[in-house]
Amino acid sequence: METGLSRGRGARQKILVCATCQQRLGTGFGRNGRQTLARALRAHLGISRWWRRRATAKVEVVEVKCLAACPRGAVTVANAARLDRWRMVPRGADLAALLDQLDITA
């Protein structure tokens, strides 16, 4: 089922990260385990903090208010183009494997 979210000029793949789960879990991701999941995903994908470089990125990490799954000890993540692919990501999870499970190509 095509949602139309990935069409058009300058279209990007979007990763939705639940901000409520992320705030409750805190850090535990990234190289040294001191980053939130959204920040670790951006670092893993090489998305810059500066808006000019971020605007040209092929993948966008979007923090949404709540995805209403609320797992214990994990963060809910989804691919915006394929909402049937939700994942509950525990602390210290492999980000490359997560992107592969969500069908995200960088």
Side-chain angles (χ1 to χ4, degrees):
M1 182 168 117
E2 187 87 25
T3 60
L5 293 174
S6 60
R7 292 185 187 166
R9 183 175 149 164
R12 297 182 242 180
Q13 299 176 46
K14 292 177 177 49
I15 301 172
L16 306 178
V17 178
C18 180
T20 305
C21 295
Q22 183 172 252
Q23 183 180 10
R24 190 176 32 181
L25 187 64
T27 60
F29 299 96
R31 244 184 321 159
N32 55 8
R34 295 182 181 174
Q35 295 177 323
T36 61
L37 180 59
R39 183 170 281 190
L41 281 170
R42 287 185 188 112
H44 182 77
L45 293 167
I47 300 172
S48 174
R49 289 177 43 181
W50 305 104
W51 67 272
R52 287 183 184 148
R53 291 189 192 146
R54 186 177 283 183
T56 60
K58 293 180 181 179
V59 179
E60 182 178 2
V61 179
V62 180
E63 296 179 57
V64 295
K65 181 74 176 161
C66 186
L67 291 173
C70 303
R72 287 188 175 228
V75 179
T76 306
V77 179
N79 182 347
R82 296 198 54 187
L83 291 176
D84 60 336
R85 294 265 178 145
W86 287 37
R87 294 291 176 256
M88 309 310 172
V89 185
R91 249 187 204 124
D94 182 22
L95 298 180
L98 172 67
L99 293 174
D100 187 44
Q101 291 172 356
L102 290 173
D103 289 337
I104 299 291
T105 55

